[in-house]
Amino acid sequence: MFRRLPETASDSAEVTLWVDGEPRQVGATLSVAAALLQQHGWAEYRLHHDGTPRAPLCMMGVCHDCLITIDGEPNRQGCLVIVKDGMRIETQMPAAQPTPGASTG
Amino acid sequence: MSENSTSSQVAEVAIIGAGPSGLAAATRLAKAGLKPVVFDLNAAPGGQVYRQVESPQADLRVTGIDYRLGQRVVEAFRRARVDYRPDSRVWWVQRVDAGFELGVLHEGRSAVWRARRLILCHGAMERPFPFPGWQLPGVMTAGAAQVLLKQGGLLPEDAPILVGSGPLIYLLGWQYLQAGRPPTCILDLTPRHQWRLPLRQPVKAWHARGYLFKGLKMMLALKRAGVAIERDIDALEAIGDKVLEQIRYRQRGHWKQRPASLLLSHVGVVPETHLTRSLGLTHRWHAEQQSFLPVRDDTLSADENLWVVGDGAAIGGAVNAMREGTLSALEVIASHHGLTKEERHERDGLRRERARDLCARQLLDAMFLPPLNIDAMPEETIICRCEALTRGDLDQAISDGAEGPNQLKAFTRCGMGPCQGRQCSVNATLLLSRRLAQTPDQIGQWQIRPPVQTITLGELATPGVVENRET
């Protein structure tokens, strides 16, 4: 998990993000991936098609391990989308068995 | 791929990227009366190094004094007469006559732009650094940690472990120390003899003195604060069931284990070559930077009416990137309406400064040559993260007869996932190079075709708004 610097936490604007149906107050400057790393941590961020858990690696648009469902649209690059008030996020952790060879892209 | 040209928007000069080089190029062009269009993937100007510089989320005491330079550069850019387009993905570029056509995706719509001249300022990415377990949640790059710090003042809840080689490891460690969250330890993978290079290359060391002193200062501060700096490490593993739990490393022949919740790795940065490769530009292997670089002439031009500058062309750092951005703008001005005497002076001065800085860069490249070669990694090490292919999978395909990168891709799907090979392309080439005893240039890299950025079918099908912006 990540936490905010005390001085940042005190003077930054916040928005409400709905993460898997739960409301979360997050800093308005954060990307979706950053907000999740702060609020939710890196566990249970996304299940890869090989059945292994994955979480953001690079945070700068390269690795595509931050893929996440934003406002119903799956596989968005969470590190490139800045949070907006009322945005709905779903972590991509299906309970179903992985499909071998299926691409997430 | 070509669209009806009547629906395209037109610019004399297009710039891709709003990091140090793009900001400098745009600002200089605007000063000369040429209004460039600037496309950037990010929501605000500054690139990775000056991310969030307009509304800093962490004190300069934490981010460091260099960040302030970024504030001035972005302010000048904001004042300049520039058509700035943030949140814009350039997903294809092609040559049309003497100019270029660009596909630009913004808010779910794709538009076509035409530009007579193009300056690529798309920047670098962190060198992919595969080791067993690097795909586990809890392993991130040091660059990612810096993004979190700059973008939202985010610090790890529990003290992290830093691993790798190069200045960014110590910069991040120092920033975390300033913020009151020092790392538990730094595993420095730089071989000992490389630290002694400045003594053997005094001229280069003199040119690099600024960088070297800054690095020493940070290292001393970390040591004084009790952060253990471990050296002589030649193997590394991340271990965990669903998330990172432990790291193992081999130090002077002995395996050691430490509990870890967050491992931040970094082995330098490399140019992001998707765009330049998709344009069919020649790239050559640069042994010192251990990466493929687009070939440029003395004017930083890679082709007619095309300039590639900053860390997307060769790693030189933010200050050099700004210099190259300005230089490319002056070349555009020269080709557009010629240079004044003052402008020629400005250009010559920048060229001299650049030459001095590149001399220093050679020393830094040699000191921080990427450690732990890919072919020495255990066979279970994932190389292509998207398709979850291991070093063993790729070696199997090579022994089955894959003789080059395109074949390796066809045999295994390596590089065909969402990241489009950004994380595995160079490592696949290096593995082929070692196994087939050919140079990286002989092996080459697989072909890049558009889209060079991920785009959904829906976005592809949504026609762009036609704004008549003839300038």
Side-chain angles (χ1 to χ4, degrees):
Chain A
M1 301 273 277
F2 284 82
R3 64 175 165 81
R4 306 195 86 190
L5 280 165
E7 67 264 28
T8 310
S10 60
D11 44 78
S12 264
E14 294 201 327
V15 299
T16 304
L17 208 61
W18 295 83
V19 181
D20 292 331
E22 298 283 321
R24 310 273 183 130
Q25 294 295 116
V26 302
T29 59
L30 295 174
S31 68
V32 168
L36 278 166
L37 288 174
Q38 185 206 346
Q39 292 283 333
H40 184 92
W42 44 80
E44 305 200 338
Y45 183 100
R46 180 172 79 84
L47 199 64
H48 202 51
H49 62 76
D50 67 348
T52 62
R54 295 285 180 94
L57 173 77
C58 81
M59 295 300 288
M60 54 181 89
V62 177
C63 74
H64 287 65
D65 260 320
C66 64
L67 297 180
I68 193 137
T69 304
I70 301 176
D71 289 335
E73 196 185 334
N75 297 324
R76 299 279 306 275
Q77 277 175 279
C79 75
L80 294 179
V81 181
I82 304 298
V83 295
K84 279 194 191 120
D85 201 37
M87 206 176 234
R88 286 173 297 115
I89 309 299
E90 283 141 83
T91 53
Q92 298 193 174
M93 291 294 295
Q97 287 298 305
T99 324
S103 175
T104 46
Chain B
M1 199 57 70
S2 187
E3 298 276 342
N4 181 355
S5 61
T6 55
S7 71
S8 61
Q9 300 169 71
V10 178
E12 177 60 34
V13 190
I15 295 173
I16 301 178
S21 59
L23 296 175
T27 308
R28 189 62 190 83
L29 284 167
K31 190 179 165 193
L34 287 168
K35 184 185 169 190
V37 59
V38 180
F39 303 108
D40 191 43
L41 194 59
N42 287 300
Q48 300 306 334
V49 64
Y50 302 134
R51 182 183 278 274
Q52 204 67 41
V53 83
E54 289 177 304
S55 54
Q57 298 295 302
D59 198 274
L60 276 177
R61 175 182 58 82
V62 173
T63 44
I65 201 75
D66 292 347
Y67 201 55
R68 187 174 290 157
L69 176 60
Q71 291 175 337
R72 287 205 297 272
V73 176
V74 170
E75 276 164 23
F77 172 76
R78 287 290 197 186
R79 281 195 303 270
R81 198 169 159 270
V82 168
D83 183 4
Y84 167 53
R85 292 173 174 258
D87 278 321
S88 297
R89 286 169 186 242
V90 178
W91 63 278
W92 59 270
V93 180
Q94 68 179 12
R95 187 168 270 291
V96 180
D97 306 321
F100 300 88
E101 216 169 51
L102 291 75
V104 183
L105 191 68
H106 176 68
E107 289 183 347
R109 292 170 192 274
S110 184
V112 179
W113 278 78
R114 276 181 170 240
R116 172 115 179 111
R117 296 176 175 85
L118 181 61
I119 309 178
L120 301 182
C121 306
H122 52 281
M125 53 180 257
E126 283 183 282
R127 183 191 304 279
F129 178 39
F131 52 87
W134 73 309
Q135 72 279 11
L136 276 171
V139 180
M140 296 177 79
T141 67
Q146 280 214 312
V147 169
L148 292 169
L149 182 63
K150 292 174 190 170
Q151 190 178 56
L154 293 183
L155 290 174
E157 195 89 60
D158 303 307
I161 293 176
L162 274 47
V163 64
S165 177
L168 193 70
I169 285 289
Y170 287 97
L171 174 61
L172 179 65
W174 180 85
Q175 288 173 329
Y176 277 177
L177 178 64
Q178 299 301 303
R181 163 53 76 226
T184 49
C185 69
I186 295 178
L187 308 180
D188 189 328
L189 302 180
T190 313
R192 238 168 235 277
H193 67 270
Q194 285 171 214
W195 282 113
R196 290 194 282 268
L197 283 173
L199 301 174
R200 267 184 261 141
Q201 303 184 1
V203 176
K204 287 178 185 167
W206 175 252
H207 289 305
R209 64 192 181 280
Y211 297 110
L212 295 172
F213 282 127
K214 198 157 65 182
L216 269 177
K217 192 191 84 181
M218 289 173 178
M219 239 182 253
L220 283 174
L222 285 160
K223 276 191 180 166
R224 224 176 278 136
V227 177
I229 298 176
E230 304 286 347
R231 300 181 196 279
D232 305 310
I233 294 164
D234 67 352
L236 171 72
E237 284 178 25
I239 302 165
D241 179 20
K242 290 190 164 67
V243 292
L244 176 71
E245 291 161 15
Q246 305 272 328
I247 60 159
R248 283 181 83 221
Y249 56 96
R250 192 172 58 203
Q251 189 177 36
R252 293 182 282 271
H254 299 285
W255 281 98
K256 298 187 175 171
Q257 196 150 339
R258 279 176 184 262
S261 65
L262 179 64
L263 180 67
L264 300 169
S265 74
H266 178 82
V267 290
V269 290
V270 293
E272 220 278 70
T273 56
H274 259 57
L275 208 50
T276 49
R277 281 156 71 199
S278 80
L279 271 161
L281 301 176
T282 307
H283 291 68
R284 292 236 170 78
W285 181 252
H286 192 284
E288 289 76 28
Q289 296 207 341
Q290 288 284 301
S291 51
F292 283 100
L293 310 183
V295 176
R296 302 180 290 174
D297 66 16
D298 291 342
T299 68
L300 309 178
S301 170
D303 201 356
E304 190 190 0
N305 291 331
L306 175 69
W307 291 264
V308 190
V309 292
D311 280 5
I315 302 305
V319 173
N320 180 67
M322 286 186 257
R323 232 177 251 140
E324 290 194 3
T326 307
L327 277 168
S328 67
L330 288 166
E331 296 298 339
V332 167
I333 296 162
S335 72
H336 187 264
H337 57 252
L339 294 182
T340 63
K341 193 177 163 204
E342 289 73 30
E343 286 169 337
R344 281 201 302 278
H345 269 295
E346 182 187 356
R347 182 193 63 190
D348 296 346
L350 285 170
R351 283 184 178 172
R352 277 193 300 274
E353 282 176 30
R354 176 169 177 266
R356 270 198 298 273
D357 212 12
L358 292 186
C359 185
R361 181 59 49 179
Q362 289 172 357
L363 175 64
L364 299 179
D365 289 342
M367 285 176 72
F368 303 117
L369 211 59
L372 309 190
N373 289 324
I374 196 70
D375 59 333
M377 282 295 168
E379 65 170 7
E380 72 273 18
T381 310
I382 283 182
I383 305 293
C384 173
R385 295 170 63 98
C386 296
E387 297 295 329
L389 295 164
T390 63
R391 203 269 288 156
D393 295 330
L394 300 190
D395 263 332
Q396 182 63 49
I398 295 169
S399 56
D400 287 347
E403 288 177 344
N406 287 316
Q407 265 182 327
L408 191 62
K409 188 172 171 178
F411 281 25
T412 63
R413 291 188 56 83
C414 187
M416 290 173 74
C419 97
Q420 302 177 293
R422 284 174 170 85
Q423 290 285 327
C424 63
S425 175
V426 169
N427 285 324
T429 291
L430 285 177
L431 191 63
L432 282 159
S433 160
R434 301 271 155 94
R435 297 296 183 242
L436 304 177
Q438 294 178 31
T439 64
D441 274 327
Q442 285 169 322
I443 299 286
Q445 290 187 278
W446 53 61
Q447 280 163 349
I448 301 295
R449 293 192 183 85
V452 292
Q453 291 285 341
T454 37
I455 173 168
T456 66
L457 284 173
E459 289 165 335
L460 198 60
T462 310
V465 200
V466 180
E467 304 164 51
N468 196 2
R469 296 185 65 94
E470 301 270 341
T471 46

